[in-house]
Amino acid sequence: MADRQQTDPAPQWWSRPEGTAEAGRGNGVPAPRPDTGGESHVQDAAQDVPARDVSAQDVPAPGVSDPAPDVAAAVPAVRYDPWGAEPLQVVDRGRTPRGIGLWQVVALSLGTALLAGGTGGYLGVLAERQSSTRLELPQAAGAADRGRAPESVAGIAATALPGVVTLHVRGTKGSGTGTGFVLDQQGHILTNSHVVADSQEITVTFSTGESVTAQLVGRDSGYDLAVVKVNGVRGLHPLSLGNSENVQVGDPVVAIGAPFDLSNTVTAGIISATGRPVTAGGDKGDGSDISYVDALQTDAPINPGNSGGPLLDAKAHVVGINSAIRRADKEDPTRQGGSIGLGFAIPVNQGKRVAEELIRTGRATHPVIGVTLDMDYAGDGARVGDKGEDGKPSVVADGPGARAGIRAGDVITKVDGQRVRGGDELIIKIRAHRPGDPLTLTVLRGGRESTLKVVLGSANGS
């Protein structure tokens, strides 16, 4: 074996076995290779020749022949011991650098895979866009059952919408929008009185989009109800009237109307309460236009434009006429507030009676007890005034109240066992009945309570 410098690339070792390095080895002198025949010669050279650093000047340049035999004999052969504590690094600038590591191979593979995947995806999208093949995403069968259960909101809406109309009213003070619903085949439509008040022209638009002119039949501001009529319209769809006495708290309801002129709007909710004493109106200042309603309360969203629309039960029967909402902001009466979940509807039983009278005579009658109330009384109950209007007696002579034994100064605390807390509530409880209906009044007089029987009289409304 020739004694010349080893120029092969040095292998990389990640570990070496313990106990393999020989103690007392000279500095910088590697151990001989086990399979080398000149082992004793290398060891002797290591002992006779001082160790020296191996640098680039010891490495022959490419293409340069081996040194002369006498020079080579003076230089000991450098052997690489893979088990050495400090492996000798042999540099050969004329050869290819060290091989690629494992982590570099992994990184290169991942980069290649990502590049191939991205390129393939882009080419696929490009080919799909340029392809003439029609792209169609999966979808549920469009020809599936389009029917809805009759008691569902969709089923109720499908039944009722053909009978609901939108009213556009123009008057001397401006224009407005409201809602109504068809009562019969003769073209009578029920709505709120405040929708058609001061009207000069009324246009009715059906759910089909057809619009016709309507005429006012009659209205009553005390009940906030009115009837208009269209002529020459065929194929009308009158809505079925339910019984508001059967309504219970928690019953599902659906409201239909034109909030902010958005016709055929359907909302859903429940009956939140019954028998809510609600007063509305009073714009004239003399109280002649105040509406007193023993209302159904609902959380179905109702907004301006829903007025006069139907409130329907699960059988698509009308149980109320949507009339009022409670606004969150009451400081600005000119501002139209939206729904906060407090809507009120006139019970349909009351609406039916008033509509029948308006269609028949153009006016509605109010049940009365023939007394004048002290509306400034701050105590609990409704107090009968000391005097009536224009100095007349507060209890009408030979009226229903006088015949029942009511006197001036009496405080009425209950109607048919239901407590009343003020004059407004007493009027509301009375107007929830018909003229001629008997009532039981609980009266507080001189600190003692007594019950009186009264039969309601009749008075013409406004």
Side-chain angles (χ1 to χ4, degrees):
M1 178 177 181
D3 289 333
R4 60 176 180 148
Q5 187 176 12
Q6 176 70 27
T7 58
D8 294 336
Q12 296 183 353
W13 301 92
W14 298 99
S15 63
R16 88 181 153 80
E18 296 181 358
T20 56
E22 294 179 347
R25 184 180 304 166
N27 293 335
V29 180
R33 293 187 180 182
D35 56 348
T36 303
E39 178 180 357
S40 59
H41 170 76
V42 174
Q43 291 178 349
D44 293 339
Q47 294 175 358
D48 298 337
V49 182
R52 65 185 180 93
D53 294 336
V54 179
S55 61
Q57 65 183 1
D58 300 319
V59 181
V64 180
S65 60
D66 292 342
D70 56 344
V71 177
V75 179
V78 180
R79 304 295 183 182
Y80 175 71
D81 180 11
W83 310 118
E86 296 180 359
L88 177 62
Q89 301 297 324
V90 181
V91 180
D92 185 353
R93 300 183 183 274
R95 292 183 177 268
T96 305
R98 292 181 300 170
I100 300 176
L102 180 60
W103 67 272
Q104 294 172 312
V105 174
V106 173
L108 181 61
S109 300
L110 290 175
T112 304
L114 292 174
L115 179 61
T119 303
Y122 172 76
L123 293 177
V125 171
L126 186 62
E128 183 178 21
R129 290 180 177 177
Q130 295 179 350
S131 174
S132 60
T133 304
R134 179 183 177 184
L135 174 64
E136 185 172 353
L137 299 175
Q139 184 182 23
D145 183 15
R146 294 176 56 88
R148 297 293 185 268
E151 66 276 8
S152 67
V153 175
I156 296 169
T159 301
L161 275 172
V164 181
V165 301
T166 301
L167 286 82
H168 294 94
V169 181
R170 187 174 64 182
T172 57
K173 298 180 180 180
S175 59
T177 301
T179 308
F181 59 93
V182 179
L183 292 172
D184 53 31
Q185 292 290 348
Q186 286 70 45
H188 292 107
I189 294 170
L190 184 62
T191 186
N192 281 142
S193 175
H194 71 263
V195 171
V196 296
D198 191 38
S199 62
Q200 291 181 325
E201 181 180 348
I202 303 173
T203 302
V204 171
T205 303
F206 293 88
S207 60
T208 58
E210 179 185 4
S211 296
V212 295
T213 302
Q215 292 78 38
L216 178 63
V217 174
R219 70 185 188 92
D220 187 281
S221 60
Y223 288 115
D224 194 20
L225 291 171
V227 173
V228 300
K229 185 180 180 182
V230 295
N231 296 310
V233 180
R234 297 183 178 180
L236 295 175
H237 297 271
L239 298 188
S240 298
L241 305 183
N243 186 350
S244 53
E245 293 294 331
N246 296 333
V247 173
Q248 296 185 11
V249 174
D251 284 347
V253 288
V254 172
I256 302 179
F260 300 100
D261 204 14
L262 299 173
S263 302
N264 305 322
T265 296
V266 178
T267 57
I270 62 169
I271 295 293
S272 304
T274 60
R276 289 293 197 204
V278 175
T279 58
D283 297 332
K284 293 183 178 180
D286 58 359
S288 61
D289 61 340
I290 295 179
S291 302
Y292 299 90
V293 181
D294 197 31
L296 301 175
Q297 180 182 325
T298 179
D299 67 348
I302 298 173
N303 293 285
N306 276 98
S307 295
L311 187 68
L312 305 139
D313 64 12
K315 296 181 179 179
H317 296 162
V318 180
V319 295
I321 301 97
N322 302 317
S323 299
I325 61 173
R326 175 65 181 267
R327 294 199 310 263
D329 181 11
K330 299 185 66 177
E331 296 180 358
D332 185 2
T334 63
R335 180 180 178 182
Q336 286 188 322
S339 172
I340 60 172
L342 292 174
F344 303 96
I346 302 170
V348 72
N349 288 14
Q350 183 173 323
K352 177 178 179 295
R353 179 183 70 81
V354 174
E356 291 169 347
E357 291 186 348
L358 292 175
I359 292 172
R360 186 169 59 250
T361 66
R363 298 179 67 88
T365 58
H366 297 171
V368 296
I369 59 174
V371 301
T372 300
L373 298 177
D374 179 7
M375 302 304 291
D376 295 327
Y377 178 67
D380 192 20
R383 184 180 182 275
V384 179
D386 297 325
K387 290 185 178 181
E389 295 179 359
D390 300 328
K392 296 179 180 179
S394 60
V395 180
V396 178
D398 199 31
R403 290 193 294 267
I406 298 177
R407 301 177 186 177
D410 286 349
V411 178
I412 302 173
T413 58
K414 294 180 182 178
V415 176
D416 284 342
Q418 296 182 348
R419 182 170 294 278
V420 295
R421 296 172 177 80
D424 289 344
E425 284 196 33
L426 178 61
I427 297 173
I428 290 169
K429 295 298 182 184
I430 291 174
R431 288 194 180 180
H433 296 80
R434 294 172 178 267
D437 287 348
L439 293 179
T440 300
L441 303 180
T442 301
V443 177
L444 181 63
R445 180 187 303 164
R448 299 179 61 182
E449 280 190 345
S450 61
T451 58
L452 302 176
K453 301 289 185 179
V454 62
V455 177
L456 297 177
S458 177
N460 289 328
S462 58

Coordinates of all heavy atoms in Angstrom, one line a residue, residues 70 82 240 248 313 413 425:
D70 N 11.4 10.2 -2.3 CA 12.2 10.6 -1.1 C 11.4 11.5 -0.2 O 11.4 11.4 1.0 CB 13.5 11.2 -1.5 CG 13.3 12.4 -2.4 OD1 12.2 12.6 -2.9 OD2 14.3 13.2 -2.5
P82 N -12.4 5.8 11.9 CA -13.8 6.2 12.2 C -14.1 6.1 13.7 O -15.2 6.7 14.1 CB -14.6 5.2 11.4 CG -13.7 4.0 11.2 CD -12.3 4.6 11.2
S240 N -111.7 32.9 7.4 CA -112.5 32.3 8.4 C -112.3 33.0 9.7 O -111.1 33.2 10.1 CB -112.3 30.8 8.5 OG -112.6 30.2 7.3
Q248 N -105.8 31.0 24.3 CA -105.1 30.8 25.6 C -103.7 31.3 25.4 O -103.1 31.3 24.4 CB -105.2 29.4 26.0 CG -106.5 28.8 26.3 CD -106.5 27.4 26.9 OE1 -105.4 26.9 27.3 NE2 -107.7 26.8 27.0
D313 N -104.8 31.9 14.1 CA -104.4 30.8 15.0 C -103.9 29.6 14.1 O -103.7 29.8 12.9 CB -105.6 30.3 15.8 CG -106.8 29.8 15.0 OD1 -106.6 29.5 13.8 OD2 -107.9 29.6 15.6
T413 N -114.7 48.5 41.8 CA -113.3 47.8 41.9 C -113.3 46.5 41.1 O -112.1 46.1 40.8 CB -113.1 47.5 43.4 OG1 -114.1 46.6 43.9 CG2 -113.0 48.8 44.2
E425 N -109.7 51.2 32.5 CA -109.9 49.7 32.5 C -111.4 49.4 32.7 O -111.9 48.4 32.1 CB -109.2 49.1 33.7 CG -107.7 49.0 33.4 CD -107.0 48.0 34.4 OE1 -107.6 47.0 34.8 OE2 -105.8 48.2 34.7

